[in-house]
Amino acid sequence: MTGRLVVEDIRPRTPGPDRYAKAIVGERVRVTAVAFRDGHDPLAGRVLLRRGDGTVVCSCELVALGNDEWEGYVVPTGVGPHLLEVQAWTTRHGSAGAVLDADTATDLTTSDPVRLWVDRERALVGAWYELFPRSFGGLSGVLGRLPDLAAMGFDVLYLPPIHPIGVTFRKGPGNTLQAGPDDPGSPWAIGSAEGGHTAIDPGLGTMEDFRELVGQARAQGIEIALDYALQCSPDHPWVHEHPEWFHHRPDGTIACAENPPKIYQDIYPLNFWPPEEADRVALWEACRAILEYWISHGVRIFRVDNPHTKPMAFWEWVIAEIAARHPDVIFLAEAFTRPKVMARLAEAGFSQSYTYFTWRTQQHGPEGLWAYLEEVSRGRASDYMRPNFWPNTPDILSGPLRHGSPAAFALRLVLAATASPSYGIYSGYELYENEPASESNEEYLHSEKYEIRRRHFSSPGNLSPLITALNRIRRSHPALQRLHSLTMHPTTNPAVIAYSKRSDDGDDVVLTVVNLDPGRAQEAILTFDPAGAGLDPSRSYRALDELTGESYDWFGPQPFVRLDPAVRVAHVLSITQGGPS
Amino acid sequence: MTGRLVVEDIRPRTPGPDRYAKAIVGERVRVTAVAFRDGHDPLAGRVLLRRGDGTVVCSCELVALGNDEWEGYVVPTGVGPHLLEVQAWTTRHGSAGAVLDADTATDLTTSDPVRLWVDRERALVGAWYELFPRSFGGLSGVLGRLPDLAAMGFDVLYLPPIHPIGVTFRKGPGNTLQAGPDDPGSPWAIGSAEGGHTAIDPGLGTMEDFRELVGQARAQGIEIALDYALQCSPDHPWVHEHPEWFHHRPDGTIACAENPPKIYQDIYPLNFWPPEEADRVALWEACRAILEYWISHGVRIFRVDNPHTKPMAFWEWVIAEIAARHPDVIFLAEAFTRPKVMARLAEAGFSQSYTYFTWRTQQHGPEGLWAYLEEVSRGRASDYMRPNFWPNTPDILSGPLRHGSPAAFALRLVLAATASPSYGIYSGYELYENEPASESNEEYLHSEKYEIRRRHFSSPGNLSPLITALNRIRRSHPALQRLHSLTMHPTTNPAVIAYSKRSDDGDDVVLTVVNLDPGRAQEAILTFDPAGAGLDPSRSYRALDELTGESYDWFGPQPFVRLDPAVRVAHVLSITQGGPS
């Protein structure tokens, strides 16, 4: 129902009704709306942030942007469900004092409320590291790796499934169909006689070992993230206890997973819509119970395997159920899938998503980094989808990393760590592991999914110092902890990409410049307007490379950079007015 | 609530809930949606068009477009409220037979319905002519102009207000404050002792004369459109009968209209939100009663004066009230106003809108014709906003028409008549009236708003032959009766603009090429892909200029054109395969 004024088109918001846009505690959330009325009297307005119980968290005056658009800011103080409302009214006082003015405004009009889910900080900001515990001798072996991960500045340690692995049709090295007696199998073939999704593979350790890992990690500032992979090996207890939860072939046997022409003989997918409604309810509740079980053991982050192979309605239900009880739980969607599906999973409630970053290697063009960074930071879906940039995963060795030089690994790392508030690497990245399974296969040679890999992390010349530096810079620069402020800067050389970010208060400005060509030195003139970064354009300004400590005194909007991979692949520059005047 | 499949993002639709996208009877409406499911099984789907009572008008199979997008088509058969629904389901039969398949689909999922208002054809397609009856000696004098208008092919004759005009503060020539005893005043200063919005100015004639005009016009294929201008002169009966419907100054006097720094002493605006709710209801009902009165006298088209100065809530209410009783009524919004307001008025229910066409004179740039034609034909708002292009109005003599040559008038006419299914001209256009009130004033010298103007329409060399030709081509080419199929074609010369349209069945293709420079000949090579127009690109094709009868046999995607204003300003080309093979 339209009121006396039109107050509509609120952002952030989701395309669908009754779903949540997203923010984190302490984030300055920019809210925009369209507001106007008939006639020529001036308007004033405000934006209100309400908790789920209706209490107002904050109220901020709106400022006119022109074209009947207005903006204001709110700052959430606690996690959970919130509502945004925009109010506007005719004022006789101009915009000054407008917030108080509202109390006597006779034509005050309130927009339809927009839902906003507020997460804790880690839903937006975090450095992730992924490792297979079995390659470290199990959970207790991982304890020994924690101090290095903490020293490198990682926030989240993500473990692929730690559950018992099936033996029936167990995969051998390189995804072959015959496993030898000592082959460990894929951790995603979950379940054996020793248990299912709530059990720990005895080869990895005990529940006590797991509790110890969670505790020691927490003490060192690291959270453990578990894999939530809703599928079963043929030996999973559910196969016998609940055959009705699986797909059956006409001959009565249970169907294995297929992604034609691939067949996954070691995995049975679950049938989320069994013929009987009671069976559906029981299965969904059992899936929820897995999450509740690990939550009761201290886990608050889940990396969700292949969410696009399960019904959207299930995700909406299970995430809402968990969020209502545990609003601090974070879900990362492994949504390397179609664009519409990826965005829709975020709308369904996932806190963050893997992205196409892994395959975005050039600057320009429809599949380039420029367009992609603008899309993930400012596109419509950025109201509710948060990226997590991974240069590699156990499944994906792509682009310049294939047979890549250390410079290739360094440049992809800098891009991920500075462009997205959340990023992650899979173990071995710091050692420049670069051998693909084949020229046509995106997986690794000797994929750790099927084999145990022992690594020498202290090998000289590895990437740890750069990782450490980047994570330190990320923590000390609030600009890098935000998504929406990302601004692309044109350069005169397509091999040199440049973008900057600002902190909520505008005081912290970080300009990142990366040479996308690991093979040779590249030069470029950037377009960087100091006034756009809040600086006085009539004075020089200082660009301090936080990676090296070198600083450059620049003047004007066209600084020059030269990046030689033999020396450095990137500048991560803190920009201040502090140059000589 | 999400179903077993995701079926969302239906277009056409409005941004706001519970409002109507638009179509006309017989139009092929393209419907798109996003639909997908978990897993890899193929989908099928259909789009349903339902009448307000739920009965299905048509059901059409969906075709996959890629990226999880689907399209289908529906064709409305009657006016009034409709619903669009999209259904999708998992199929075992591929897409063939999918529509029947739906009946046994176990996971069939239906989208939320989207509202579609179906109008009669004139809401989208029409050639309008505006004249002041008093310049023809009143309503009976207009009868004598009807045969010419019919011969020129006009569909709608729009009359500025025909009601008694106030005498208090009556405006003199050129909007001066002192009217002489013989000055007629502005027709928009409505109401005198002789009556208000339901009366006819005795100087123009009687209600019997009006009925005669409506009847004779209809007999010649022309509909009469009246002005709906909700404002009053100080002498309007409402001022005395209902002072509570007006704005009062602190001293108790009624406030006149202001658009600072302009003051309209001869007009009192209505107060659509008086302090007492009962007064508001009475005023809104009185405004509705005006429409009902003229509807009862055979009027079915209203051109609404300055809708942005009345509340959006009023328009939503009054248009819905009228549409429910008289779904064949058409409202044209005089919305030469801010972009957000213009679109929102369309969403509120206006059938069509004036546009910024009047000020779009160059091809390129953010305010150019290229961007604007794409916006009005394909932008989000084109789902519910239909343009009506006017090269001039009694208020606006702009751009190349000011002191303009006949070629300037011809080229603006061709643009309006071919780019938009609805267009209109204000009387005098065909005589090249080109004198502005002043160099800084967009109005006409000797504005007809304040003076009677006698014209000699049969003066030699006038624009009537071109108008006649264009309206004939518009009627014989269904391509020109549609909006969404407009496609821009790049040219090598910014002074030459080119665009094509196709009919719903694709068989009729009209390519319009206009020289935007009335002063000199311009040449250009066009980019026109014959395959995109449904032609065999390996053969030549024929471009028949419907204005001259000349034809050109073209081959390939880069035809050359030369437009010399001394000979012609434009080609309006019917494209067929019919060239020599």
Side-chain angles (χ1 to χ4, degrees):
Chain A
M1 179 60 197
T2 301
R4 292 185 57 173
L5 284 68
V6 170
V7 187
E8 294 178 349
D9 199 13
I10 315 300
R11 284 193 65 183
R13 71 159 186 276
T14 57
D18 305 331
R19 299 175 194 140
Y20 288 96
K22 296 195 179 83
I24 61 167
V25 171
E27 182 180 9
R28 192 185 67 150
V29 180
R30 179 171 183 261
V31 179
T32 60
V34 168
F36 58 81
R37 56 155 289 169
D38 46 294
H40 309 285
D41 293 329
L43 302 191
R46 63 181 174 184
V47 53
L48 301 173
L49 179 67
R50 295 181 188 275
R51 265 190 285 273
D53 64 6
T55 56
V56 174
V57 177
C58 62
S59 164
C60 170
E61 185 178 8
L62 294 181
V63 174
L65 297 173
N67 194 23
D68 296 304
E69 294 176 297
W70 300 74
E71 72 172 358
Y73 294 88
V74 295
V75 181
T77 58
V79 299
H82 289 69
L83 293 175
L84 288 170
E85 287 176 357
V86 174
Q87 298 181 327
W89 60 91
T90 307
T91 181
R92 302 254 164 230
H93 311 295
S95 60
V99 172
L100 291 176
D101 195 13
D103 299 329
T104 55
T106 55
D107 62 357
L108 183 144
T109 301
T110 303
S111 71
D112 289 337
V114 168
R115 295 183 185 213
L116 182 75
W117 184 269
V118 180
D119 282 304
R120 62 190 174 104
E121 183 187 27
R122 193 63 65 232
L124 174 64
V125 188
W128 291 49
Y129 189 89
E130 174 179 3
L131 61 75
F132 286 73
R134 65 192 186 191
S135 290
F136 296 80
L139 298 174
S140 58
V142 175
L143 294 177
R145 181 83 177 125
L146 285 177
D148 282 351
L149 298 178
M152 282 194 279
F154 285 105
D155 303 298
V156 179
L157 172 56
Y158 150 52
L159 309 179
I162 58 173
H163 316 301
I165 297 171
V167 292
T168 303
F169 297 117
R170 175 176 287 193
K171 293 292 181 77
N175 200 22
T176 51
L177 289 177
Q178 276 77 34
D182 296 331
D183 286 330
S186 165
W188 284 274
I190 294 173
S192 76
E194 285 149 327
H197 285 78
T198 55
I200 293 178
D201 185 345
L204 296 180
T206 64
M207 190 58 69
E208 188 49 47
D209 295 330
F210 182 74
R211 271 197 223 98
E212 179 72 13
L213 176 63
V214 169
Q216 285 207 24
R218 184 182 299 134
Q220 295 174 69
I222 294 175
E223 257 189 280
I224 299 296
L226 283 193
D227 206 302
Y228 186 52
L230 292 174
Q231 56 202 21
C232 299
S233 93
D235 309 312
H236 193 290
W238 286 0
V239 174
H240 315 289
E241 296 165 8
H242 295 287
E244 69 277 11
W245 290 351
F246 297 86
H247 297 276
H248 295 266
R249 295 198 187 88
D251 68 2
T253 60
I254 294 179
C256 65
E258 294 185 35
N259 185 3
K262 291 189 200 169
I263 297 180
Y264 302 94
Q265 295 86 347
D266 58 338
I267 291 175
Y268 287 169
L270 290 160
N271 179 3
F272 283 86
W273 299 104
E276 296 297 326
E277 172 66 4
D279 294 335
R280 183 194 67 76
V281 171
L283 169 61
W284 290 26
E285 288 288 356
C287 291
R288 178 166 73 100
I290 296 168
L291 293 168
E292 290 281 6
Y293 179 85
W294 291 108
I295 289 168
S296 75
H297 287 83
V299 177
R300 288 292 183 283
I301 306 182
F302 296 93
R303 177 269 194 194
V304 178
D305 191 68
N306 276 336
H308 59 287
T309 61
K310 290 87 190 174
M312 199 63 69
F314 169 74
W315 294 121
E316 290 184 348
W317 173 81
V318 76
I319 294 175
E321 288 283 313
I322 296 297
R325 291 172 178 77
H326 313 285
D328 59 339
V329 168
I330 293 166
F331 292 94
L332 166 62
E334 190 214 20
F336 288 118
T337 176
R338 295 111 71 191
K340 303 285 187 191
V341 181
M342 180 185 284
R344 188 60 181 77
L345 286 163
E347 199 183 349
F350 280 91
S351 319
Q352 21 173 272
S353 178
Y354 287 67
T355 68
Y356 304 130
F357 166 75
T358 315
W359 297 280
R360 296 292 181 268
T361 57
Q362 302 301 308
Q363 180 166 198
H364 299 299
E367 303 233 317
L369 279 162
W370 179 297
Y372 197 60
L373 295 185
E374 293 219 315
E375 178 187 326
V376 297
S377 63
R378 293 167 180 253
R380 301 289 307 201
S382 73
D383 286 4
Y384 53 91
M385 187 170 92
R386 304 185 185 105
N388 195 331
F389 278 5
W390 289 73
N392 74 329
T393 77
D395 292 317
I396 309 174
L397 177 71
S398 72
L401 303 183
R402 297 168 67 84
H403 308 296
S405 65
F409 281 73
L411 79 88
R412 296 295 297 172
L413 180 74
V414 173
L415 288 169
T418 58
S420 174
S422 286
Y423 86 103
I425 57 171
Y426 151 61
S427 185
Y429 192 90
E430 62 269 52
L431 303 180
Y432 313 118
E433 291 178 359
N434 64 0
E435 288 185 272
S438 75
E439 290 316 299
S440 63
N441 188 328
E442 213 164 34
E443 304 214 2
Y444 281 89
L445 188 66
H446 300 301
S447 170
E448 201 172 357
K449 291 197 295 181
Y450 314 103
E451 299 178 51
I452 289 171
R453 291 188 71 148
R454 306 278 181 191
R455 296 183 175 91
H456 301 283
F457 289 103
S458 57
S459 62
N462 73 49
L463 206 53
S464 297
L466 181 61
I467 295 169
T468 306
L470 285 166
N471 285 338
R472 174 182 53 73
I473 299 166
R474 285 167 46 88
R475 286 183 177 172
S476 60
H477 282 281
L480 296 181
Q481 298 162 21
R482 291 295 179 265
L483 177 65
H484 301 300
S485 69
L486 189 143
T487 303
M488 301 302 301
H489 298 286
T491 74
T492 54
N493 180 346
V496 176
I497 191 169
Y499 46 87
S500 68
K501 287 181 162 188
R502 296 181 71 176
S503 58
D504 286 350
D505 61 13
D507 290 347
D508 185 37
V509 179
V510 176
L511 170 65
T512 301
V513 190
V514 181
N515 179 356
L516 298 175
D517 175 3
R520 73 192 72 188
Q522 296 284 352
E523 300 178 344
I525 296 170
L526 317 182
T527 297
F528 178 79
D529 175 13
L535 304 173
D536 177 354
S538 71
R539 297 171 52 201
S540 68
Y541 53 98
R542 177 154 290 175
L544 170 64
D545 192 328
E546 297 277 353
L547 290 171
T548 62
E550 293 170 281
S551 71
Y552 311 88
D553 290 313
W554 285 347
F555 180 83
Q558 299 205 299
F560 170 83
V561 296
R562 181 172 197 278
L563 292 166
D564 182 348
V567 182
R568 61 170 70 87
V569 294
H571 288 303
V572 180
L573 301 160
S574 169
I575 306 291
T576 56
Q577 192 75 71
S581 57
Chain B
M1 179 61 195
T2 301
R4 293 184 57 171
L5 283 68
V6 170
V7 187
E8 295 178 350
D9 199 14
I10 315 302
R11 283 192 67 181
R13 71 161 186 276
T14 57
D18 305 332
R19 299 175 194 140
Y20 288 96
K22 296 194 179 85
I24 60 168
V25 172
E27 182 179 11
R28 193 186 67 151
V29 180
R30 180 173 183 259
V31 179
T32 61
V34 168
F36 57 84
R37 58 155 289 168
D38 47 292
H40 308 284
D41 292 331
L43 302 190
R46 63 180 173 185
V47 52
L48 301 173
L49 178 68
R50 295 182 188 275
R51 264 191 287 271
D53 65 5
T55 56
V56 173
V57 178
C58 62
S59 164
C60 169
E61 184 178 9
L62 294 181
V63 174
L65 297 172
N67 193 23
D68 296 306
E69 293 176 298
W70 300 74
E71 73 172 0
Y73 294 89
V74 296
V75 181
T77 57
V79 299
H82 289 69
L83 292 176
L84 287 169
E85 286 177 358
V86 175
Q87 298 180 327
W89 60 91
T90 307
T91 181
R92 302 251 165 234
H93 312 295
S95 59
V99 172
L100 291 177
D101 197 12
D103 298 329
T104 55
T106 54
D107 62 358
L108 183 143
T109 301
T110 303
S111 71
D112 289 337
V114 167
R115 295 183 186 213
L116 182 74
W117 183 270
V118 180
D119 282 304
R120 62 191 172 104
E121 183 187 27
R122 192 64 66 234
L124 173 66
V125 188
W128 291 50
Y129 189 89
E130 174 179 3
L131 61 76
F132 286 74
R134 65 194 186 189
S135 291
F136 294 80
L139 298 175
S140 58
V142 175
L143 294 178
R145 180 82 178 128
L146 285 177
D148 282 351
L149 297 178
M152 280 194 279
F154 285 104
D155 303 298
V156 180
L157 171 57
Y158 150 51
L159 309 179
I162 58 173
H163 316 301
I165 296 171
V167 293
T168 304
F169 297 116
R170 174 176 287 192
K171 293 293 181 73
N175 200 20
T176 52
L177 290 178
Q178 276 79 33
D182 295 331
D183 286 330
S186 164
W188 283 274
I190 295 173
S192 75
E194 284 150 327
H197 285 78
T198 53
I200 292 178
D201 184 344
L204 295 180
T206 64
M207 190 58 69
E208 189 48 48
D209 295 330
F210 182 74
R211 270 197 224 99
E212 179 71 16
L213 176 61
V214 169
Q216 285 207 23
R218 183 183 300 133
Q220 296 173 67
I222 295 175
E223 258 190 279
I224 299 296
L226 283 193
D227 207 301
Y228 186 55
L230 292 174
Q231 56 204 21
C232 298
S233 93
D235 309 312
H236 192 291
W238 285 1
V239 175
H240 316 287
E241 296 165 9
H242 295 287
E244 70 277 10
W245 290 353
F246 296 87
H247 296 278
H248 295 266
R249 296 199 187 86
D251 66 3
T253 59
I254 293 179
C256 66
E258 294 185 33
N259 185 2
K262 291 190 200 168
I263 298 180
Y264 302 94
Q265 294 88 345
D266 58 338
I267 292 174
Y268 288 168
L270 291 160
N271 179 4
F272 282 85
W273 299 103
E276 296 297 325
E277 173 65 4
D279 294 335
R280 182 193 68 75
V281 172
L283 170 61
W284 291 26
E285 288 288 357
C287 292
R288 179 167 72 100
I290 296 168
L291 293 169
E292 290 282 6
Y293 178 85
W294 291 108
I295 289 169
S296 75
H297 288 82
V299 177
R300 287 293 184 282
I301 306 182
F302 296 92
R303 177 271 192 191
V304 178
D305 192 66
N306 276 335
H308 59 287
T309 61
K310 290 89 189 173
M312 198 65 69
F314 168 74
W315 294 121
E316 289 184 349
W317 174 81
V318 76
I319 293 175
E321 288 282 314
I322 296 298
R325 290 174 179 76
H326 313 285
D328 58 339
V329 168
I330 293 167
F331 292 94
L332 165 62
E334 191 214 21
F336 288 118
T337 178
R338 294 112 70 192
K340 303 285 187 190
V341 181
M342 180 187 282
R344 187 62 181 76
L345 285 163
E347 200 184 350
F350 280 91
S351 320
Q352 21 173 274
S353 179
Y354 287 66
T355 68
Y356 304 131
F357 166 76
T358 316
W359 298 280
R360 297 291 181 269
T361 55
Q362 302 301 309
Q363 180 167 196
H364 299 300
E367 304 232 315
L369 278 162
W370 180 297
Y372 197 60
L373 294 185
E374 293 218 315
E375 178 187 325
V376 299
S377 64
R378 293 168 181 253
R380 301 288 307 200
S382 73
D383 286 3
Y384 52 92
M385 188 168 90
R386 303 185 185 106
N388 195 328
F389 279 4
W390 288 73
N392 73 329
T393 77
D395 293 317
I396 309 173
L397 177 70
S398 72
L401 302 183
R402 296 167 68 83
H403 307 297
S405 65
F409 281 73
L411 79 89
R412 296 295 297 173
L413 179 74
V414 172
L415 288 169
T418 57
S420 174
S422 286
Y423 86 103
I425 57 171
Y426 152 60
S427 184
Y429 192 91
E430 64 268 53
L431 303 179
Y432 314 117
E433 291 178 0
N434 64 359
E435 289 185 88
S438 75
E439 290 317 299
S440 63
N441 189 327
E442 212 165 33
E443 304 212 2
Y444 280 87
L445 188 67
H446 301 301
S447 169
E448 200 173 359
K449 291 197 296 180
Y450 314 103
E451 299 177 50
I452 290 171
R453 291 188 70 148
R454 306 279 181 190
R455 296 182 174 90
H456 300 284
F457 289 102
S458 58
S459 61
N462 73 49
L463 206 51
S464 298
L466 181 61
I467 295 170
T468 306
L470 285 166
N471 286 337
R472 174 183 52 73
I473 298 167
R474 286 166 48 87
R475 286 184 177 171
S476 61
H477 282 280
L480 296 181
Q481 298 162 20
R482 291 296 180 262
L483 177 64
H484 303 298
S485 70
L486 189 142
T487 303
M488 301 302 301
H489 298 285
T491 73
T492 54
N493 180 347
V496 176
I497 192 169
Y499 46 88
S500 67
K501 288 181 160 186
R502 295 181 72 176
S503 57
D504 286 351
D505 60 13
D507 290 346
D508 185 38
V509 179
V510 175
L511 170 66
T512 301
V513 190
V514 181
N515 178 357
L516 298 175
D517 174 3
R520 73 192 72 189
Q522 297 284 351
E523 300 178 344
I525 296 170
L526 316 183
T527 297
F528 178 80
D529 175 12
L535 304 173
D536 177 353
S538 70
R539 296 172 52 200
S540 68
Y541 53 99
R542 177 156 290 176
L544 170 65
D545 192 328
E546 297 277 354
L547 290 171
T548 63
E550 292 170 280
S551 71
Y552 311 90
D553 290 313
W554 286 349
F555 180 81
Q558 299 205 298
F560 170 84
V561 296
R562 183 172 196 276
L563 292 165
D564 181 347
V567 181
R568 61 170 70 86
V569 294
H571 288 304
V572 180
L573 301 160
S574 171
I575 306 290
T576 55
Q577 192 76 71
S581 57

